[in-house]
Amino acid sequence: ARLEAAVRIDPSCGPAWHALAEAAIGRGGLERAAECLEREAAATLAPSDRVRLYDALGDMARDVLGDPARAERCWMEILALAEAPVLDKLLALQRKRGATVERARTCVRLAELHAPANKELLEEAGAMFAAGGELAHARVIADQLVFAHADDLDALGCATDIGVALGEPGLILG
């Protein structure tokens, strides 16, 4: 009861949320524990701790609770901070559910981290932005592909496809 009162008084009290989660786990309440751990993660200010907590929550949601939507939501919370292994898990979920714009954003972030796979991730991002109706973002990706991979037929083909979706079939011609 004291812990519940503590989070009513201060909803950003991470230690109280953590203690509530431990108590819920002790009672077999994994769903309640996940809710409390999400509140703890949201209250955490240190970026590395925030990444660690949300990543663990994503794993718990996917592997223990069988809740891919919650896992995706947790990993999206740290999109800008997470390293490639976390984002690879997120991208796999997004591909499985057929996401478009969210998947494109994940691809762009991964492309920033994965120099060798940059082209393929940018191609996927451009296609997903176009499919999701985010045409301005798709245009930026097409320009990046043309600029960075001017000798690559796959990249130019993707940029052309984006240009067609934008109603600019001559996009790659400059």
Side-chain angles (χ1 to χ4, degrees), residues 14 40 98 119 140:
E40 177 191 10
K119 179 184 72 87
V140 169

Side-chain angles (χ1 to χ4, degrees), residues 123-143:
E123 288 172 351
E124 185 174 351
M128 291 302 101
F129 276 134
E134 296 250 348
L135 301 181
H137 287 107
R139 172 64 191 258
V140 169
I141 298 296
D143 289 344

Side-chain angles (χ1 to χ4, degrees), residues 83-136:
E83 294 298 323
V86 175
L87 299 178
D88 287 336
K89 294 184 285 190
L90 173 60
L91 184 58
L93 278 181
Q94 292 171 328
R95 284 174 174 156
K96 187 173 183 175
R97 80 167 175 88
T100 56
V101 173
E102 301 92 343
R103 180 170 146 195
R105 289 190 174 103
T106 303
C107 286
V108 168
R109 174 71 176 122
L110 269 168
E112 294 168 356
L113 300 172
H114 273 309
N118 178 292
K119 179 184 72 87
E120 291 80 11
L121 288 163
L122 286 177
E123 288 172 351
E124 185 174 351
M128 291 302 101
F129 276 134
E134 296 250 348
L135 301 181

